[in-house]
Amino acid sequence: SPDVIGISAGTSTAAVFVILVLGLRGSIVSLLAMIFGIATALIIYKLSVIKGHFTYGRMILIGIGISALLRAVTSYLLAKAAEYDVGTTMQWLSGSLNGVQMEDVPALVLVVGIITIPLVSLMEIIPLGDNFAVSLGLNTRLTYSVMIIGAVILVSFATSVTGPIASVAFLSGPIAASLAGKGKSSLIPAGLVGTVLTLGADLVAFHAFWVHYPVGVITGLLGAPYMLYLLIRMNRRGVN
């Protein structure tokens, strides 16, 4: 999940810096935040490769460390910011749809449309296994690199527009995979499930409480018990 390995933290730190220090607003914030999110992902990947070998475990640990570092930088920026800027920035950091304007939609649709097309074509082959992909002449290392970069661009751009909405990717991926079934691409289902989760959580945040909470608060509450459930299930499988 981009929440865990530091990509969302990189995008958030860049956006907070641009808003509070540079005083910029609008689409330039999204652009710079997306660039920094991609740079953060590349740094994490580069540090995860030692002597030509890459492991997911190393990437997760390095991502958690970089995420903690970037969150500390964000906290420092907030501590030094003017008081009237902190409230708006904190609402953005919680993940909120309240500040999204119609002007943000065309660019978001364009980015999603362009990136999704190659990802869908690749995801039709990859779930069948690396051996099958290699037999078709596909360069799996290049393919995985393209998929990671595409996913990072989508995550970074979405985060730069709405703020880091917690646990959406973490929840929608497994749910979509179970709905799509084995050997089938879950990319489009994951996007649709993520959309339903985000809009549903926003409705709950807006109507179920006296205070209108940011949508990220509700999705974060959903993600925590789901993570505990996955850990318990994994431990049981390990024992058996």
Side-chain angles (χ1 to χ4, degrees):
S1 173
D3 307 355
V4 177
I5 62 173
I7 298 173
S8 296
T11 307
S12 300
T13 301
V16 170
F17 179 82
V18 171
I19 293 172
L20 295 181
V21 178
L22 302 183
L24 300 177
R25 297 289 189 276
S27 58
I28 187 64
V29 177
S30 301
L31 177 62
L32 294 177
M34 182 178 67
I35 292 172
F36 195 80
I38 296 171
T40 302
L42 292 175
I43 291 171
I44 294 171
Y45 178 78
K46 191 68 176 177
L47 293 175
S48 303
V49 178
I50 298 179
K51 296 181 179 179
H53 296 287
F54 169 82
T55 62
Y56 290 108
R58 189 184 296 125
M59 181 190 71
I60 293 171
L61 291 175
I62 291 173
I64 291 173
I66 289 181
S67 178
L69 174 64
L70 292 173
R71 292 182 192 282
V73 173
T74 301
S75 298
Y76 173 79
L77 292 173
L78 290 172
K80 293 295 183 179
E83 184 177 351
Y84 61 86
D85 289 331
V86 173
T88 303
T89 308
M90 285 300 296
Q91 185 180 24
W92 185 89
L93 285 173
S94 299
S96 176
L97 302 181
N98 296 338
V100 178
Q101 304 294 325
M102 286 302 298
E103 295 80 32
D104 300 324
V105 175
L108 189 60
V109 171
L110 180 64
V111 171
V112 171
I114 292 174
I115 300 298
T116 301
I117 293 173
L119 288 182
V120 169
S121 61
L122 293 173
M123 285 295 291
E124 292 295 331
I125 301 175
I126 292 301
L128 300 176
D130 289 355
N131 293 332
F132 182 78
V134 171
S135 68
L136 294 177
L138 197 66
N139 186 333
T140 54
R141 186 170 183 178
L142 177 62
T143 301
Y144 284 131
S145 299
V146 171
M147 291 173 65
I148 290 172
I149 292 173
V152 168
I153 292 174
L154 289 175
V155 170
S156 301
F157 197 85
T159 302
S160 66
V161 173
T162 64
I165 301 177
S167 302
V168 173
F170 179 70
L171 289 166
S172 59
I175 294 173
S178 63
L179 293 174
K182 277 190 174 183
K184 295 184 179 180
S185 172
S186 58
L187 180 64
I188 300 300
L192 296 175
V193 171
T195 301
V196 172
L197 285 173
T198 303
L199 295 178
D202 189 52
L203 287 174
V204 172
F206 195 80
H207 295 289
F209 305 99
W210 293 105
V211 179
H212 296 164
Y213 291 102
V215 63
V217 174
I218 306 300
T219 56
L221 291 175
L222 293 174
Y226 187 69
M227 178 178 285
L228 292 176
Y229 162 74
L230 289 179
L231 291 173
I232 292 171
R233 191 176 68 173
M234 289 171 62
N235 287 334
R236 287 178 177 175
R237 287 180 177 177
V239 171
N240 294 333

